[in-house]
Amino acid sequence: MKNDINQLGKLAVEIFKFDHTYYFSDDYRVWKSGENEKQELADKAIAMDLSIGDKLYMITVFQNLWNDSGYGDFASIDENHIHWPYKSSMYGIAGITNRDLLFSPIQ
């Protein structure tokens, strides 16, 4: 890992708590605000120049936060699952790619 584990955890929590449903709002102000916040989070991740180890750590944090929240099993969410927009949005903001997922037991 390249980055401080505390900073990675903090960013993962910020991404997890982000309102990923903003995209589906019919109110332009909500949508625009969500787009701006999403870009700010993505810029933080880009600025940290996350390594594969950093991203794997963040996936683990996402999984722990998700499972502890009672939403079900994070690892079982795939593109056919109703919660896929949340998971794919978290991965997208953090810059986690399919290549990174090759190294992760959690898809």
Side-chain angles (χ1 to χ4, degrees):
M1 290 196 333
K2 272 173 48 170
N3 290 286
D4 175 36
I5 199 164
N6 294 320
Q7 293 300 322
L8 287 172
K10 182 179 174 188
L11 178 60
V13 169
E14 285 183 65
I15 292 171
F16 180 81
K17 289 183 174 183
F18 172 68
D19 180 11
H20 300 277
T21 62
Y22 81 91
Y23 188 80
F24 303 104
S25 176
D26 59 355
D27 185 335
Y28 176 76
R29 293 170 297 175
V30 171
W31 179 84
K32 185 64 176 167
S33 175
E35 284 289 305
N36 290 338
E37 187 175 346
K38 179 180 177 180
Q39 189 60 53
E40 288 173 11
L41 289 170
D43 289 344
K44 284 182 184 181
I46 290 168
M48 291 179 79
D49 191 27
L50 301 172
S51 68
I52 292 173
D54 293 340
K55 292 176 184 180
L56 295 179
Y57 177 75
M58 291 182 74
I59 291 170
T60 302
V61 173
F62 293 152
Q63 179 183 33
N64 290 336
L65 290 168
W66 186 270
N67 293 348
D68 290 348
S69 296
Y71 297 132
D73 181 28
F74 186 77
S76 70
I77 298 171
D78 63 11
E79 60 273 355
N80 297 317
H81 196 281
I82 192 167
H83 291 130
W84 177 248
Y86 297 103
K87 186 174 184 177
S88 64
S89 180
M90 285 187 269
Y91 283 6
I93 292 170
I96 298 168
T97 65
N98 287 336
R99 181 181 167 278
D100 299 322
L101 292 174
L102 293 174
F103 301 97
S104 176
I106 306 164
Q107 299 300 305

